[in-house]
């Protein structure tokens, strides 16, 4: 007779084979969608113990269903540039999973955008949104439009054309987009205006990340960066560490990076480096955030300009070498796959103690292995950068109630949500025999709620 342990092991082997088979089918059905497959693999690998313990998830084909978007919309976005030429871009919206609430997730405008990128982001969003504890499903969208170098009038014409089509598919109780790379307050403003015009009514809750004067939430702009730092602070606390007097490296110099830097500095850290897609700056005395904010938020300039005002700082072309700078805490806040295995090894050999993912999927699967193997505290994106969507959900709540909370109220709620996500991830990791592994913990904690909701709602 098999011992309990052997039974468990053989069952886990069967589950592993089942998961591998489902993954192979996903690969076959989505060829050339590298980023999407990477995101699916990371989640699937974490779910073996939860599937072994809960065979109803296999019987109900939750994996097979959860990897298939409920809807993937692709559309033409024609617009006229300043020279009078007609330009055509491609728009996307993936409405991935609405088991626990209306679809929710940002819009990305970047030339690299394609179906694979949008699907990886939408897939991640399902679990992230579930982790926040708020009633929001997973979605994402965007376009291969490149906002760089475009005039304000071109941005407006493009976003109006984009929203003319997108408006058919979204609404405050259906699907609520927000910003992401290349989509900030200006783009959200133009899209909100166009949506209002198309619908002939004021539906404040259709977009989040709005300006404060027309239904936006205080602390939304800061939420993702602050939230990432709050999450990392919890990881550090558990090991008797803290931000105070730590050396921090942050990639990017956009919305997430700027506010991650701000909060880390408020907690007493010295941030020595940040970047944009051209290169990175290293300021051994600590970065002057006022300069970065002015260059990036107001003047729309390259990060290389920083060294003109701070001659003691250095500028280096190219992004990946930012990870060769010795630091205690690394916060990748730019884009996907920016830390590969080699960069991860460099960070480890230079003594990094914690990595918190502000960007979505910034570490490759191999890089994550390195961090986990070397016992580096690792906060995965789904959990660590959930602060943005959490405050977006708080914006929706304020819109529904037709009231506005103060900055302090929203920030306090954000802080509590991030602590809770950390606790839930730790708990799930322990429950499923992977103590300290927050990749497993966050994936499982996010998955279970969605899977249970899918089961009770029937085969739809
Ligand atoms: P953003 O304001 O547009 O800033 C993006 C930053 O990353 C910029 O400094 C940009 O440099 C750099 N970057 C973009 N693509 C790059 C590339 N391929 N290689 C190197 N650097 C690159 O965008 P964001 O809102 O901060 O988003 C950053 C990351 O956080 C993304 O992964 C996004 O999905 C994730 N995220 C954002 C939110 C949110 O609330 N905004 C929430 C959760 C997760 P350039 O200016 O030179 O392009």
């Amino acid at each position: 007779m098999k011992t309990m342990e052997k039974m468990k092991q053989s069952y886990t082997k069967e589950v592993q084979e089942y998961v591998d088979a489902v993954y192979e089918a996903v690969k076959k059905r989505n060829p050339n969608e590298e980023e999407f497959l990477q995101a699916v693999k990371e989640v699937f690998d974490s779910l073996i113990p939860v599937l072994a313990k809960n065979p109803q998830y296999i019987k109900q084909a939750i994996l097979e269903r959860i990897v298939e978007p409920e809807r993937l919309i692709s559309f033409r976005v024609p617009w006229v540039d300043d020279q009078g030429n007609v330009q055509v871009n491609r728009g996307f919206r993936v409405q991935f999973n609405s088991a626990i609430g209306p679809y929710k997730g940002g819009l990305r405008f970047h030339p690299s955008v394609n179906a694979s990128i949008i699907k990886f982001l939408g897939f991640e969003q399902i679990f992230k949104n579930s982790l926040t504890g708020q009633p929001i499903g997973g979605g994402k969208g965007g376009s291969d439009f490149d906002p760089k170098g475009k005039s304000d009038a071109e941005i407006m014409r493009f976003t109006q054309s984009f929203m003319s089509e997108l408006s058919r598919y979204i609404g405050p109780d259906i699907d609520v987009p927000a910003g992401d790379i290349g989509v900030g307050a200006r783009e959200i403003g133009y899209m909100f205006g166009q949506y209002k015009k198309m619908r002939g009514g004021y539906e404040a809750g259709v977009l989040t990340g709005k300006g404060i004067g027309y239904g936006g939430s205080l602390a939304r702009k800061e939420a993702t960066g602050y939230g990432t730092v709050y999450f990392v602070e919890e990881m550090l606390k558990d090991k008797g560490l803290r931000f105070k007097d730590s050396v921090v490296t942050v990639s990017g110099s956009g919305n997430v990076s700027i506010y991650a830097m701000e909060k880390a500095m408020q907690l007493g850290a010295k941030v020595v480096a940040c970047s944009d897609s051209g290169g990175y700056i290293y300021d051994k005395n600590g970065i002057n955030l006022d300069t970065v904010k002015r260059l990036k938020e107001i003047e729309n300039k390259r990060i290389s300009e920083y060294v003109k005002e701070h001659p003691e700082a250095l500028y280096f072309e190219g992004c990946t070498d930012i990870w060769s700078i010795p630091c205690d805490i690394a916060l990748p806040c730019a884009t996907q796959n920016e830390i590969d295995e080699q960069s991860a090894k460099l960070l480890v050999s230079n003594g990094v103690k914690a990595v918190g993912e502000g960007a979505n999927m910034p570490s490759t699967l191999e890089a994550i292995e390195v961090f986990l193997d070397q016992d580096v505290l690792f906060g995965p994106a789904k959990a660590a950068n959930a602060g943005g969507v959490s405050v977006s959900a708080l914006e929706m709540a304020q819109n529904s109630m037709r009231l506005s909370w103060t900055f302090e109220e929203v920030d306090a709620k954000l802080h509590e949500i991030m602590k809770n996500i950390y606790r839930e991830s730790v708990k799930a990791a322990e429950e499923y025999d992977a103590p300290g592994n927050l990749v497993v913990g966050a994936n499982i904690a996010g998955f279970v709620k969605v899977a249970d909701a899918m089961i009770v709602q029937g085969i739809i």
Side-chain angles (χ1 to χ4, degrees):
M1 214 174 93
K2 286 180 183 172
T3 63
M4 281 305 287
E5 196 46 42
K6 272 191 186 149
M7 275 171 70
K8 202 173 126 200
Q9 274 177 8
S10 70
Y11 190 64
T12 306
K13 188 167 168 283
E14 277 168 36
V15 174
Q16 175 78 61
E17 282 165 9
Y18 158 74
V19 171
D20 288 347
V22 180
Y23 181 68
E24 281 310 309
V26 178
K27 259 169 92 177
K28 214 166 169 186
R29 193 173 260 177
N30 303 277
N32 312 318
E33 294 194 355
E34 250 175 68
E35 296 84 1
F36 175 56
L37 292 171
Q38 180 182 339
V40 170
K41 178 110 185 74
E42 190 222 273
V43 172
F44 275 17
D45 284 348
S46 304
L47 295 181
I48 314 272
V50 94
L51 297 168
K53 227 174 175 170
N54 302 278
Q56 75 274 19
Y57 295 146
I58 300 178
K59 190 156 183 288
Q60 294 277 342
I62 296 295
L63 293 195
E64 292 88 333
R65 286 197 274 155
I66 213 164
V67 292
E68 202 54 39
E70 289 174 15
R71 207 165 292 106
L72 172 62
I73 303 147
S74 164
F75 51 95
R76 179 171 69 203
V77 190
W79 56 282
V80 180
D81 67 20
D82 286 347
Q83 286 69 47
N85 301 315
V86 177
Q87 304 285 345
V88 181
N89 284 96
R90 185 172 283 178
F92 295 96
R93 186 74 186 164
V94 63
Q95 298 182 330
F96 226 117
N97 192 297
S98 61
I100 62 167
Y103 312 106
K104 179 94 199 80
L107 297 169
R108 177 177 290 192
F109 292 168
H110 193 272
S112 63
V113 164
N114 55 31
S116 172
I117 299 275
I118 295 301
K119 281 169 66 183
F120 113 66
L121 290 164
F123 185 69
E124 293 267 300
Q125 200 80 40
I126 303 170
F127 309 100
K128 181 188 310 193
N129 292 3
S130 164
L131 273 173
T132 68
Q134 290 152 308
I136 39 180
K140 198 81 190 186
S143 172
D144 58 1
F145 173 75
D146 186 358
K148 274 204 202 83
K150 303 291 188 299
S151 70
D152 203 48
E154 288 177 321
I155 299 277
M156 185 174 73
R157 288 194 293 274
F158 168 80
T159 50
Q160 287 176 341
S161 178
F162 181 84
M163 184 49 90
S164 297
E165 184 62 25
L166 187 67
S167 63
R168 300 164 189 268
Y169 308 105
I170 61 175
D173 293 315
I174 301 170
D175 183 353
V176 183
D180 190 81
I181 290 178
V183 177
R186 173 181 58 172
E187 291 74 17
I188 293 287
Y190 290 146
M191 283 193 270
F192 187 73
Q194 185 69 3
Y195 179 85
K196 190 157 59 78
K197 182 171 169 145
M198 305 286 298
R199 289 297 170 102
Y202 200 99
E203 297 174 16
V206 70
L207 289 171
T208 59
K210 299 182 293 294
I212 303 303
Y214 67 97
S217 174
L218 288 163
R220 172 62 188 90
K221 184 175 67 172
E222 292 82 356
T224 310
Y226 277 23
T228 300
V229 172
Y230 290 149
F231 188 91
V232 174
E233 197 186 14
E234 294 305 301
M235 299 198 301
L236 294 171
K237 255 194 229 160
D238 262 358
K239 298 281 174 213
L241 303 168
R242 54 192 191 161
F243 268 97
K244 192 164 171 23
D245 300 326
S246 299
V247 173
V248 179
T249 298
V250 181
S251 63
S253 48
N255 173 257
V256 180
S257 322
I258 285 178
Y259 293 96
M261 290 195 262
E262 182 166 281
K263 184 51 72 179
M265 288 175 185
Q266 284 173 7
L267 294 177
K270 181 159 84 166
V271 180
V272 294
C274 71
S275 61
D276 61 19
S277 57
Y280 66 95
I281 52 165
Y282 172 60
D283 193 335
K284 66 177 186 330
N285 302 321
I287 281 175
N288 182 317
L289 193 58
D290 288 339
T291 307
V292 175
K293 277 188 178 179
R294 179 171 41 74
L295 289 173
K296 288 294 178 180
E297 293 188 325
I298 300 170
E299 297 172 359
N300 229 340
K301 290 197 173 142
R302 309 307 297 156
I303 201 68
S304 54
E305 298 282 318
Y306 179 93
V307 295
K308 290 189 186 153
E309 297 178 40
H310 301 276
E312 69 288 358
L314 302 168
Y315 173 73
F316 300 90
E317 295 269 339
C319 303
T320 45
D321 285 351
I322 191 172
W323 307 120
S324 67
I325 298 170
C327 64
D328 301 308
I329 299 165
L331 303 177
C333 294
T335 194
Q336 63 274 356
N337 292 329
E338 50 171 316
I339 302 186
D340 61 9
E341 186 177 7
Q342 200 189 340
S343 299
K345 284 182 174 161
L346 256 180
L347 279 165
V348 169
S349 65
N350 283 327
V352 75
K353 296 182 188 74
V355 176
E357 295 191 318
N360 282 312
M361 210 168 75
S363 314
T364 63
L365 294 171
E366 297 76 20
I368 296 174
E369 279 301 316
V370 172
F371 294 137
L372 296 179
D373 276 358
Q374 299 297 317
D375 291 329
V376 172
L377 299 172
F378 182 72
K382 275 183 205 81
N385 75 25
V389 74
S390 299
V391 173
S392 274
L394 298 178
E395 183 174 331
M396 290 161 72
Q398 292 170 82
N399 293 154
S400 300
M401 294 188 287
R402 290 176 158 65
L403 52 78
S404 305
W405 294 322
T406 63
F407 186 97
E408 289 70 25
E409 281 174 293
V410 179
D411 189 34
K413 288 182 201 300
L414 166 68
H415 203 157
E416 204 39 60
I417 289 168
M418 297 313 295
K419 284 184 180 172
N420 197 46
I421 293 175
Y422 176 72
R423 284 194 294 263
E424 292 290 315
S425 305
V426 169
K427 200 170 111 201
E430 276 167 7
E431 194 181 330
Y432 288 95
D433 300 327
N437 184 334
L438 297 179
V439 177
V440 166
N443 283 335
I444 291 179
F447 171 81
V448 167
K449 196 158 61 136
V450 177
D452 290 345
M454 286 172 76
I455 290 175
V456 297
Q457 290 172 23
I459 310 294
I460 51 165

